[in-house]
Amino acid sequence: MRWNRRYIIKSYIKASLWLVPFFSVLAYMLVHRITYGIGGWLLRTGRIDETTGLLGLTMVGARSALDTVVTLNLSFLVFTFGSLLVAIQVAGGQYTPRIIATTLLRDNAIRFTVGYFVFTLLFAMRVLTRMGGEIVHQFNSFIAGVLGLISIVVFLYLIDYAARFLRPVSIVHRVGESGIAVIKSVYPESTTRTNYVETSHRPASPDRVVTNVGASGIVLAVNLEGLVAQARSANGIIEFVPQVGDFVAVDDPLFWLYGGAGAIDDCQLRAAVALGSERTIEQDPTFALRILVDIAIKALSPAINDPTTAVLAIDQLHRLLRLVGLRQLRGEEICDDIGELRLVFRTPNWEDFVHLTCTEIRHCGAGSIQIMRRMRSMLENLVQTLPPHRHAELRQQLELLDRTVEQHYSFPEDRALALIADSQGLGGALGVPPAIGAPTAEGGGSEK
């Protein structure tokens, strides 16, 4: 199977809610045979009696108990799916639709609780349908009753979990954690230098162009190792034209080939690129920031007017931007083991990350003192904690923040308040903590 198809299938499995209930059906088909075998063995060896058994259930009592378990789990399933649909609508409207596939549908707690309800429902129905004559399957009725009691506990846990999960702080925290994971995977090394020195071994023009055929889509991921191996085998250079996250239409260029790479089969090259209808977070280092920015600017819209949620999003953006600033952002040119240029692959640079984080929130939150103070706190803290070669763009954003405050606030008292850095937005400590040994706002040295 080609690499891009494997990637699409893997992403589909991660974002599919129905797969866990489906496997719970398979588990039921196996478990009910095992429990009936154990129950028959217990009867044959005399360890339980058909009439008294483990619970001492009569036929009427057993049927009533099993009916209760079936009704409970059916109700739990209906309530869970109904609540999930409402949660998807609310989350998509209040936060951003991008969190549906990246967060809600990938949550294992929701998927496994639904799978447990399906398993218990099928098991209890199976025991109920096999009740006949005067034979009460005591062992299986006992197992069904235990599963029914556990399902009540699981349902109560799901209610509590969903209430916590759908809070803004939980949503943005999950997106932030996903962003940290992808940034570490795309940029595994810590920053050690101020800029890149590209080898520029590429010829002036490509020898051959490979275009996208079949269907348009967004670039989800690229098999970098596979492309480097193909270029090394052909003794050439491959240049991947778009970036991860770009939309590629039919007949748009995918690859520019140089030297011996011109002999590589087009199908092999296209198989190294996964296209889809929506961006995914696995290889896209800016997508987590994009989601958080969307949440922040939607919270700042007049229809919602929730700047505190925007501050929560900025908290996570602060984490991600600091991590990016401490990483060695990869250059365009990727070499093989012996140092020969084999692949040209573009990724966002430091300025791209800073602009994505700051520009839209600054424009949409210009009228909110809370946002102005939190953004200033973030930028000043990053200037203190990141290496000097990251400071130029941060200071540019601080200057833009000053000009935004001057333009939007007529009263000097409001301007003075908006120009104070505050990690809580409004109401926290005045200013970010100074660096060790730096003078305080009053002009003296640090007290700590």
Side-chain angles (χ1 to χ4, degrees):
M1 184 181 294
R2 295 178 176 178
W3 180 89
N4 55 354
R5 293 189 178 179
R6 292 199 306 270
Y7 182 86
I8 294 296
I9 292 174
K10 183 172 68 174
S11 296
Y12 179 78
I13 290 174
K14 289 182 179 180
S16 296
L17 182 63
W18 67 272
L19 283 175
V20 174
F22 171 75
F23 284 112
S24 70
V25 175
L26 301 181
Y28 144 75
M29 296 173 64
L30 174 65
V31 170
H32 93 273
R33 294 178 181 273
I34 296 175
T35 56
Y36 272 100
I38 295 174
W41 176 76
L42 292 174
L43 285 174
R44 289 192 301 271
T45 57
R47 285 175 168 81
I48 62 172
D49 185 80
E50 291 185 358
T51 56
T52 58
L54 295 172
L55 300 176
L57 293 173
T58 63
M59 178 62 69
V60 175
R63 285 184 173 276
S64 177
L66 293 171
D67 282 334
T68 301
V69 173
V70 170
T71 303
L72 278 176
N73 283 272
L74 185 60
S75 301
F76 292 161
L77 280 173
V78 172
F79 183 87
T80 301
F81 280 110
S83 301
L84 183 61
L85 291 175
V86 173
I88 289 174
Q89 293 177 348
V90 172
Q94 185 172 354
Y95 304 123
T96 172
R98 259 66 63 187
I99 68 170
I100 295 174
T102 57
T103 304
L104 291 178
L105 297 183
R106 296 187 178 217
D107 186 76
N108 288 327
I110 296 176
R111 297 201 291 179
F112 280 103
T113 52
V114 171
Y116 180 81
F117 293 150
V118 171
F119 175 84
T120 304
L121 173 65
L122 294 176
F123 187 89
M125 289 180 62
R126 179 64 174 175
V127 177
L128 183 61
T129 55
R130 293 194 63 171
M131 291 287 187
E134 298 298 326
I135 298 177
V136 178
H137 298 283
Q138 297 284 349
F139 179 74
N140 290 279
S141 298
F142 171 76
I143 297 297
V146 172
L147 292 174
L149 291 175
I150 295 175
S151 67
I152 297 176
V153 178
V154 170
F155 179 72
L156 295 176
Y157 164 78
L158 180 63
I159 295 297
D160 178 74
Y161 178 83
R164 299 173 184 271
F165 175 71
L166 292 175
R167 294 182 303 168
V169 64
S170 299
I171 294 291
V172 297
H173 178 75
R174 283 173 175 265
V175 176
E177 290 295 319
S178 300
I180 288 175
V182 68
I183 289 171
K184 288 182 177 179
S185 66
V186 175
Y187 308 115
E189 300 178 1
S190 299
T191 182
T192 56
R193 52 183 176 175
T194 60
N195 51 42
Y196 283 93
V197 179
E198 300 290 3
T199 56
S200 299
H201 291 161
R202 285 174 284 171
S205 60
D207 297 319
R208 191 161 70 88
V209 178
V210 177
T211 60
N212 179 39
V213 297
S216 304
I218 295 173
V219 179
L220 305 181
V222 181
N223 184 9
L224 300 180
E225 294 181 358
L227 290 175
V228 170
Q230 292 184 49
R232 183 175 59 247
S233 299
N235 193 24
I237 301 172
I238 300 174
E239 181 172 358
F240 185 65
V241 180
Q243 288 188 16
V244 173
D246 286 352
F247 178 81
V248 180
V250 176
D251 294 331
D252 279 351
L254 278 179
F255 297 98
W256 291 340
L257 305 179
Y258 305 89
I264 301 176
D265 182 64
D266 292 1
C267 293
Q268 293 182 5
L269 292 171
R270 296 189 183 105
V273 182
L275 300 179
S277 58
E278 184 180 9
R279 294 169 69 178
T280 59
I281 210 165
E282 284 82 1
Q283 272 197 19
D284 194 341
T286 60
F287 191 40
L289 284 83
R290 177 72 268 170
I291 294 174
L292 292 169
V293 170
D294 286 347
I295 292 175
I297 60 179
K298 180 167 282 190
L300 293 171
S301 65
I304 297 179
N305 194 23
D306 184 11
T308 302
T309 295
V311 168
L312 296 176
I314 296 174
D315 291 342
Q316 299 302 317
L317 289 168
H318 189 170
R319 294 175 64 198
L320 296 180
L321 203 57
R322 176 186 290 149
L323 180 62
V324 171
L326 293 174
R327 292 280 156 171
Q328 186 77 28
L329 302 185
R330 180 165 49 200
E332 293 184 0
E333 300 182 355
I334 301 176
C335 300
D336 59 13
D337 297 336
I338 61 175
E340 292 289 334
L341 174 62
R342 295 306 180 193
L343 177 64
V344 179
F345 180 76
R346 298 173 182 83
T347 56
N349 58 29
W350 171 244
E351 289 76 14
D352 294 330
F353 282 101
V354 175
H355 292 164
L356 174 59
T357 301
C358 299
T359 303
E360 291 175 291
I361 297 179
R362 175 168 51 81
H363 281 285
C364 294
S368 172
I369 293 180
Q370 188 175 359
I371 300 302
M372 294 294 98
R373 289 162 61 102
R374 181 62 186 93
M375 288 193 66
R376 182 174 300 277
S377 173
M378 175 185 71
L379 293 170
E380 291 184 359
N381 181 267
L382 291 174
V383 169
Q384 291 183 0
T385 56
L386 294 183
H389 62 276
R390 304 296 192 201
H391 291 179
E393 189 58 39
L394 297 172
R395 296 192 186 281
Q396 175 67 24
Q397 291 297 324
L398 281 170
E399 180 182 346
L400 291 173
L401 203 63
D402 291 339
R403 291 157 61 184
T404 300
V405 171
E406 292 293 330
Q407 180 180 355
H408 280 79
Y409 296 93
S410 303
F411 301 139
E413 293 84 358
D414 288 339
R415 286 199 300 269
L417 194 62
L419 290 171
I420 297 174
D422 187 347
S423 59
Q424 293 186 21
L426 189 62
L430 301 182
V432 296
I436 297 177
T440 61
E442 290 77 10
S446 175
E447 297 181 358
K448 295 185 180 180

